[in-house]
Amino acid sequence: LRQQHVQQAMPVGMVPAMGIAGPPQQMTMTAAMLHLAGMDKVEIQEKARLSEVVAQDLLGVGYEAANKYKVLDPRNPHQMVFFAHEKTGFCKRQCQNGCIKDCVGFELDMTYTARGSHEPFLHVKRHSSCTCCCLNRPVLEVTDSTTGQALGSIRNPFRCCNLVFNMRDLNEQDVLVAEGGCCQWGLLCPLPCGPCSEVRFPIRDAQTGASVAEIQKKVPSCLKFMFASDVDNYKIEFGNVQNPQYKALVMAMALFIDFRYFNVSDEQQQN
């Protein structure tokens, strides 16, 4: 029991080789990375797209606008630390909810906005691929926008009755694994209240199996759910993940989860 407790308390990215893989390749610590290093949790808030709501609810036209996300520090919720803006082209965005949605890629840029800054931080991209069941599973590449250097990647493997995301280092070795299962109320009956309003993705160490962090998808409010049911918030508890580059990858994982499984409104599902 004592050994298990020690494994769970070990900070990810700061453990000896017998634990999980070591930290990513050393890079210059930008202001954004330094700020992220001092944060133990963040909240990602997806912004409702008025043009999308008007097109779908008033005109009856299926339209997919570019996704936008604010990243806040819960200790100071009035300050936006990062801002993510989708850069996917118009035609490709309109295919994200069709019959080939599993094959269509996307890309976002994340900017560091704290203390009046406006500095490029991350570029995340999923290439389009011919994906079907276990073939050519989607992979999200995460790059430091300042240096152009890769930080790692996130893969969404095929699992029957389970939502799984593997965070990988530069050697394509699994470092962290997030699993959402299939029996949560927020998946079976998504509503803006009670247990139906949330879906939890516990994150564990890929080597030891110890729980190290968590991503929680949350329906923001009844009003947003009524007019934009595909808009969600994501609360991230970094827990024992201490390396800021790994924290950046966990944030990218939350965005990947949103694009993969929660980017379709009720009206689009019915169509």
Side-chain angles (χ1 to χ4, degrees):
L1 290 176
R2 180 177 179 83
Q3 183 180 4
Q4 182 179 6
H5 174 75
V6 171
Q7 285 183 346
Q8 291 180 346
M10 282 184 177
V12 176
M14 303 289 289
V15 298
M18 64 184 298
I20 76 160
Q25 183 177 347
Q26 295 299 316
M27 300 180 182
T28 303
M29 291 292 286
T30 61
M33 283 293 184
L34 288 172
H35 194 144
L36 186 57
M39 301 175 70
D40 58 0
K41 61 181 69 174
V42 297
E43 180 171 348
I44 300 177
Q45 296 183 353
E46 185 176 2
K47 298 185 67 175
R49 284 86 66 191
L50 181 60
S51 59
E52 191 173 299
V53 174
V54 171
Q56 293 178 3
D57 295 348
L58 300 182
L59 303 179
V61 177
Y63 169 67
E64 184 66 31
N67 290 353
K68 298 179 181 180
Y69 306 85
K70 297 188 297 182
V71 182
L72 309 177
D73 185 346
R75 297 172 299 184
N76 185 11
H78 300 293
Q79 181 189 56
M80 182 171 63
V81 183
F82 302 103
F83 181 74
H85 184 195
E86 183 180 5
K87 295 297 184 179
T88 315
F90 175 84
C91 293
K92 189 179 289 186
R93 286 203 316 270
Q94 308 319 307
C95 297
Q96 289 176 349
N97 297 313
C99 59
I100 59 171
K101 62 181 181 180
D102 282 346
C103 304
V104 178
F106 64 89
E107 56 184 311
L108 297 96
D109 283 332
M110 184 177 290
T111 306
Y112 177 59
T113 58
R115 307 185 185 97
S117 301
H118 190 79
E119 303 173 7
F121 177 46
L122 295 179
H123 179 73
V124 300
K125 182 172 184 177
R126 183 245 159 143
H127 292 276
S128 297
S129 60
C130 185
T131 299
C132 181
C133 296
C134 59
L135 300 177
N136 293 329
R137 296 302 299 171
V139 175
L140 185 72
E141 300 173 351
V142 185
T143 306
D144 187 317
S145 297
T146 303
T147 64
Q149 205 162 6
L151 295 180
S153 61
I154 297 111
R155 185 172 183 268
N156 177 211
F158 178 77
R159 295 290 185 274
C160 184
C161 301
N162 196 2
L163 307 182
V164 180
F165 291 84
N166 296 339
M167 192 184 97
R168 307 187 299 182
D169 61 18
L170 295 178
N171 297 319
E172 297 189 354
Q173 299 297 313
D174 289 348
V175 178
L176 299 176
V177 180
E179 296 189 50
C182 66
C183 296
Q184 298 190 56
W185 284 110
L187 293 171
L188 302 174
C189 183
L191 292 171
C193 55
C196 295
S197 67
E198 62 183 37
V199 179
R200 295 181 179 272
F201 290 83
I203 301 175
R204 58 179 173 82
D205 186 322
Q207 302 300 320
T208 67
S211 178
V212 296
E214 183 180 71
I215 296 173
Q216 179 193 27
K217 170 196 168 289
K218 184 78 174 178
V219 177
S221 65
C222 291
L223 185 62
K224 281 191 176 181
F225 184 78
M226 289 175 58
F227 292 98
S229 58
D230 60 335
V231 172
D232 298 293
N233 292 349
Y234 292 84
K235 297 181 179 181
I236 302 176
E237 296 275 355
F238 289 120
N240 292 328
V241 179
Q242 292 189 357
N243 190 293
Q245 295 169 34
Y246 281 162
K247 290 182 179 181
L249 288 168
V250 172
M251 288 198 302
M253 181 186 289
L255 297 176
F256 197 22
I257 289 172
D258 186 62
F259 268 87
R260 287 292 294 147
Y261 297 109
F262 304 107
N263 198 34
V264 182
S265 66
D266 292 341
E267 291 80 4
Q268 291 169 328
Q269 287 179 338
Q270 292 172 2
N271 293 336

